[in-house]
Amino acid sequence: MIQINEVNLHTNWQKELANVVTSADELLKLVGLEGHFSEQDLAAKRLFPLRVPRPFIAKMRYGDAKDPLLLQVLPQHQEFIAKAGFHKDPLDEQQAALPGLLHKYRSRVLLMLKTGCAVNCRYCFRRHFPYQDNQLNKRSLQAVFDYLSSHPEINEVILSGGDPLMAKDDMLTWLLEHLDEIPHLTRLRIHTRLPVVIPARVTDGLCETLIRSRLKPVLVNHINHANEIDIHFTAAMQKLKRAGVMLLNQAVLLKGINDSLAAQQALSEALFDADVLPYYLHVLDKVEGASHFEVPEQEAVTLMHGLLDALPGFLVPKLVREIGGQPSKTPIDLGLSPA
């Protein structure tokens, strides 16, 4: 692994955010791979900007062109491939109930609180999403609160994005104070990659806000490989655990990154050591520009059989795909007979 700066929970997360790497040349220099990738590879940055926090880069293996963290964020020429079945909007999300609000599931809504991310993952299913049409502020959120109040079947708000933890602590406090006033809401779920790419984002202020809310908090990390988990991430999870937050993880199955039994087993074990439970393993959402990450479904099923043999059931994530218009994630049949 490379050494950039000592990263810990006392680091100012906003300074880390302002200091992210956006140049492919700088990224490759930091990991000792200058000149290793072609100009055709790096030109894919035009399709989707490169953006990587330095604490995440510090976990990459120096001089390893196949490092599983590097390959998640580095532009590559395969992104120019136009493959049948891959679309700009693979989940049919670009028709929102309100700007920034997706009512995809009957009892749950997805609130795109912030439209930016700390890290741009090359397989992101929202890499073509019209975020400019879905930006929220305190004024536009009033319409969201009215919508939630008028739909008593909704009991859970899922904060998504972008990454919702790009919002500052005072904004999150303001939001939760308003959500607390809607009586039929019972849960708050936060889907985020920030704690693993900038662990300092888990501040005392964030934890205090979650403690004060009457809503039961769930934080779903997005971690694809065991190498993403280090002592700083684990310390951040301990802070959230003490604040009463349920800690889960969802991963994406990615060719050449985590599509082996050893990689998936190591991820589940590392998550458990950090007090995080595996939740979902997604097959790739077929977004334009990411076809080179696809793992065939039968290979995914075979992998899951291996995990069921190797791990206790509570460490085996559910293998799912998301289908636009469906009322929930769709489990993938593993071909197992009932006991």
Side-chain angles (χ1 to χ4, degrees), residues 76-240:
Q76 295 197 62
H77 68 273
Q78 294 96 326
E79 295 179 43
F80 290 101
I81 296 172
K83 185 174 180 180
F86 284 73
H87 310 286
K88 283 186 166 61
D89 183 18
L91 304 186
D92 297 327
E93 287 189 327
Q94 296 182 17
Q95 295 296 322
L98 290 171
L101 184 73
L102 301 177
H103 195 168
K104 298 168 64 171
Y105 315 121
R106 183 180 183 277
S107 64
R108 308 177 297 288
V109 293
L110 201 78
L111 182 59
M112 292 185 166
L113 183 62
K114 299 298 287 186
T115 56
C117 284
V119 61
N120 282 350
C121 302
R122 308 310 296 180
Y123 53 86
C124 179
F125 68 91
R126 291 192 183 129
R127 58 184 282 167
H128 305 289
F129 192 82
Y131 285 118
Q132 67 279 3
D133 299 328
N134 288 275
Q135 296 184 29
L136 293 169
N137 54 35
K138 288 185 177 181
R139 175 174 293 183
S140 56
L141 278 166
Q142 187 56 57
V144 170
F145 301 144
D146 293 342
Y147 183 93
L148 295 174
S149 296
S150 65
H151 286 77
E153 73 276 14
I154 298 170
N155 62 14
E156 181 174 357
V157 173
I158 303 170
L159 301 186
S160 184
D163 193 311
L165 291 189
M166 294 281 277
K168 297 178 182 178
D169 289 346
D170 57 355
M171 177 63 181
L172 290 168
T173 298
W174 178 88
L175 174 68
L176 264 64
E177 287 172 350
H178 284 75
L179 294 180
D180 281 346
E181 294 175 355
I182 302 174
H184 49 268
L185 296 181
T186 60
R187 288 189 300 275
L188 177 79
R189 198 183 335 164
I190 301 171
H191 283 211
T192 180
R193 193 133 163 78
L194 255 164
V196 76
V197 299
I198 303 179
R201 178 60 190 95
V202 180
T203 61
D204 291 342
L206 172 63
C207 293
E208 289 165 5
T209 290
L210 295 173
I211 289 170
R212 284 197 301 268
S213 174
R214 68 170 185 81
L215 303 180
K216 179 67 177 177
V218 181
L219 187 135
V220 183
N221 291 284
H222 175 183
I223 302 170
N224 297 316
H225 197 277
N227 290 3
E228 299 178 41
I229 298 171
D230 63 6
I231 59 171
H232 307 301
F233 170 78
T234 300
M237 292 302 100
Q238 291 303 309
K239 290 182 67 171
L240 289 167

Side-chain angles (χ1 to χ4, degrees), residues 286-322:
K286 294 189 175 184
V287 64
E288 184 180 292
S291 62
H292 55 295
F293 289 114
E294 186 178 26
V295 176
E297 184 172 307
Q298 188 52 52
E299 290 184 21
V301 169
T302 299
L303 177 58
M304 290 301 298
H305 281 276
L307 285 176
L308 288 166
D309 286 339
L311 294 170
F314 62 86
L315 290 186
V316 179
K318 298 176 184 177
L319 182 66
V320 297
R321 71 166 70 254
E322 188 153 5

Side-chain angles (χ1 to χ4, degrees), residues 1-2 31 52 56-62 67 69-70 73:
M1 294 188 185
I2 62 174
V31 297
V52 197
F56 192 68
I57 299 171
K59 303 176 191 180
M60 297 176 185
R61 295 191 293 251
Y62 192 83
D67 178 80
L69 280 58
L70 175 67
V73 299

